[in-house]
Amino acid sequence: MRFNRCSNGYQFLSYKHNLLPILIFVFSLSVIDVVNASIHEYKNEGFIPRFNSFFFHGGSEGIYASKIHVNGSTEDKSFTGKSFIRFESVIFRRPKEVAAKQNEMQQSTGVVEAILVEVKNRDKIGGAYLNSNAICCTPKLASDGSCKVGEVIIRQDPDNPGWPKRIQTPFEGKGEEAKMLLQTVEINRTGMYYLYFMFCDPQLNGTIIMSGRTVWRNPDGYLPGKMTPLMPFYGFMSLAYLILGLLWFLRFVQHWKDIIQLHYHITVVIGLGMCETALWYFEYANFNITGSRPIGITLWAVTFSACKKTFSRLLLLVVSMGFGVVRPTLGGVTLRVSLLGFIYFLASEALEIVENVGNINDFSGKARVFLVLPVALLDSCFILWIFSSLSKTLEKLQIRRSMGKLELYRKFTNALALSVLVSVAWIGYELYFNASDPLSELWQRAWAIQAFWAVLAYILLVVTCFLWSPSHNPTRYSYSEVEDIEDEGIPLTSSGVKVAGELMERKPAIITDHVFEVIEEDKRE
């Protein structure tokens, strides 16, 4: 599941002050926007004191309602069409000195509670309706029978009987450990669910979750609710890249004699796009089946994604510089372009790994911000350099009066400008979306944030392929030394014939039939 602990949790209770004491601190520990598996593992996890309670955040995830309802336990039955949260081998351990003080003959000497709550029911946890900030029931609050002393205060939802859900695990006698029974809670209503392990007895201070895990499942598999639409999306994008690749390949083969170096760059980007989308699809499919992210496929998908982003930006940059159109090579800027691409790849790879491979406990919010900022800064460098180069290229084409190429670059400039405007508008929407949905109540729409950038990159690639498609008349976009001669002010008449002759002697391959086509084309223009 993908969630931002800080942004989601800090305001879980901001609307209802009774939940605020618990969740403010919980989500302040989790600023990372990292994908967490549907299988949440616990190992030596400590409880955090807050007001008169102690708690540990066990996970949160958007879950769709079961398509098939079952009576009783779902164990040893088919999981198809069922949504549930299952507790497996969860063991709590309290300090030895605490256990030693207990009565050996007493059946329950402390209780740990697992609280499952839907975000809509956040106002039903705690004592707000009793005009109290307490999370656990006190003797005073219990005097009117509203709650039981030593338990978390829960008010049942009349529209969803049995929710919020409470599962208790007691310590027995002098035992140091308490093992939670295998429990499976079926989810019959679509929503964002949060899990907390809590206890109210101050004598249990120092208790930890020694080991165990919870398994969260949607009707069609273990893929978290926020990510469920991404699997068919990447399947569709993989097909889209495949179609683009086939069309480009046919065009490539049809006009292979007129291929320029720029066409090979475009081919590489298309190939990377095909691999990237296919790997992401298989990564999500595997995740959906197993409940955890396959590290091998994920690393490959992350690497291809970083490569594709890097080469896409480099392609736009070199096209904007007029590579293969107004200049045969990048000349002195080759090293700078390569260096920018290499740095961007490293920054993008690091960020992708943190977001898709890293564990939620591995990085703090500052660490992720540290990785996001370089990528954003490098993207800004690319944008500024691209438009600066486009301006120079357009100016050069105007001076040469090469109207065919000028029109081509104007269309390319308009497409880039439109994409930048759309990107800025979408970033504004993202900021609004995140600010207005701190608790991930709109989790069913969250997939579109990631999908938008993939679609925009694909559209830009299609535009580039269309404008620079291989053609039987490559002179409309390919570089010609004759244009350089004209740009230097050397006329191709009288003495210019001599220059052309010398040029032919030095590089006979340059003066071919298509060169004279360029001259005739310029005359017509």
Side-chain angles (χ1 to χ4, degrees), residues 338-390:
S338 301
L339 184 60
L340 178 61
F342 179 70
I343 295 174
Y344 184 87
F345 170 77
L346 294 179
S348 181
E349 176 85 352
L351 180 60
E352 291 278 352
I353 287 176
V354 170
E355 291 186 334
N356 297 284
V357 181
N359 185 276
I360 58 173
N361 297 319
D362 289 342
F363 297 91
S364 67
K366 291 182 180 180
R368 185 179 183 276
V369 170
F370 178 77
L371 293 172
V372 168
L373 288 178
V375 175
L377 180 62
L378 291 169
D379 273 326
S380 300
C381 291
F382 268 112
I383 292 173
L384 292 174
W385 202 354
I386 285 171
F387 280 97
S388 174
S389 299
L390 273 174

Side-chain angles (χ1 to χ4, degrees), residues 283-483:
E283 198 267 356
Y284 286 128
N286 194 304
F287 190 2
N288 193 47
I289 294 171
T290 64
S292 58
R293 309 205 75 162
I295 188 68
I297 299 178
T298 305
L299 283 173
W300 277 108
V302 162
T303 301
F304 271 94
S305 181
C307 285
K308 189 249 182 179
K309 288 179 181 178
T310 302
F311 277 92
S312 295
R313 283 155 178 77
L314 290 176
L315 175 62
L316 295 177
L317 180 58
V318 298
V319 169
S320 302
M321 289 179 171
F323 174 68
V325 180
V326 297
R327 57 196 300 178
T329 65
L330 296 180
V333 298
T334 302
L335 181 60
R336 283 188 290 164
V337 170
S338 301
L339 184 60
L340 178 61
F342 179 70
I343 295 174
Y344 184 87
F345 170 77
L346 294 179
S348 181
E349 176 85 352
L351 180 60
E352 291 278 352
I353 287 176
V354 170
E355 291 186 334
N356 297 284
V357 181
N359 185 276
I360 58 173
N361 297 319
D362 289 342
F363 297 91
S364 67
K366 291 182 180 180
R368 185 179 183 276
V369 170
F370 178 77
L371 293 172
V372 168
L373 288 178
V375 175
L377 180 62
L378 291 169
D379 273 326
S380 300
C381 291
F382 268 112
I383 292 173
L384 292 174
W385 202 354
I386 285 171
F387 280 97
S388 174
S389 299
L390 273 174
S391 177
K392 294 177 181 178
T393 302
L394 289 170
E395 183 180 359
K396 186 175 292 186
L397 290 173
Q398 284 179 330
I399 293 174
R400 294 180 178 181
R401 298 191 301 278
S402 182
M403 304 309 294
K405 295 179 182 179
L406 182 62
E407 183 63 24
L408 192 68
Y409 266 88
R410 280 175 177 169
K411 291 178 181 178
F412 182 66
T413 303
N414 291 338
L416 282 182
L418 180 61
S419 69
V420 170
L421 291 176
V422 172
S423 298
V424 171
W426 188 258
I427 290 173
Y429 171 74
E430 280 191 44
L431 294 174
Y432 168 78
F433 182 88
N434 292 327
S436 61
D437 185 39
L439 309 181
S440 295
E441 293 180 88
L442 302 178
W443 56 274
Q444 296 181 65
R445 305 181 197 172
W447 69 276
I449 301 295
Q450 180 177 343
F452 168 82
W453 299 109
V455 172
L456 181 63
Y458 180 79
I459 292 174
L460 279 176
L461 181 58
V462 169
V463 170
T464 306
C465 291
F466 175 77
L467 293 177
W468 276 271
S469 173
S471 169
H472 66 278
N473 182 26
T475 56
R476 65 189 179 91
Y477 52 68
S478 63
Y479 168 76
S480 171
E481 274 197 44
V482 174
E483 290 181 325

Side-chain angles (χ1 to χ4, degrees), residues 473 475 512-522 524:
N473 182 26
T475 56
T512 59
D513 292 339
H514 76 267
V515 171
F516 292 103
E517 289 178 13
V518 176
I519 301 173
E520 291 299 322
E521 180 185 1
D522 287 343
R524 289 195 299 271

Side-chain angles (χ1 to χ4, degrees), residues 29-69:
L29 300 177
S30 42
V31 188
I32 308 178
D33 189 20
V34 177
V35 176
N36 182 29
S38 290
I39 298 177
H40 298 257
E41 301 278 354
Y42 314 119
K43 186 175 182 180
N44 297 324
E45 309 288 355
F47 286 76
I48 301 169
R50 196 66 180 177
F51 284 86
N52 63 343
S53 69
F54 297 80
F55 68 93
F56 169 75
H57 178 218
S60 54
E61 197 164 300
I63 303 181
Y64 292 94
S66 294
K67 296 178 181 178
I68 300 174
H69 300 291

Side-chain angles (χ1 to χ4, degrees), residues 5 22-23 26 39-50 52-60 85-93 111-117 125 135-136 150-152 154 165-171 178-183 185 194-201 204 207-216:
R5 287 191 178 181
I22 298 179
L23 300 178
V26 169
I39 298 177
H40 298 257
E41 301 278 354
Y42 314 119
K43 186 175 182 180
N44 297 324
E45 309 288 355
F47 286 76
I48 301 169
R50 196 66 180 177
N52 63 343
S53 69
F54 297 80
F55 68 93
F56 169 75
H57 178 218
S60 54
I85 300 173
R86 186 170 64 239
F87 297 82
E88 297 182 350
S89 304
V90 179
I91 300 175
F92 306 99
R93 172 179 283 180
V111 175
V112 179
E113 297 180 286
I115 308 296
L116 274 171
V117 57
I125 303 294
I135 304 302
C136 296
E151 294 184 353
V152 176
I154 295 180
K165 188 76 66 176
R166 181 205 310 268
I167 302 174
Q168 295 183 330
T169 302
F171 286 94
K179 185 174 182 179
M180 191 174 184
L181 296 176
L182 183 66
Q183 300 269 355
V185 179
Y194 289 81
L195 167 64
Y196 296 95
F197 294 101
M198 305 178 67
F199 62 83
C200 299
D201 188 352
L204 292 178
T207 298
I208 62 172
I209 304 178
M210 188 174 70
S211 62
R213 68 179 190 172
T214 53
V215 179
W216 306 56

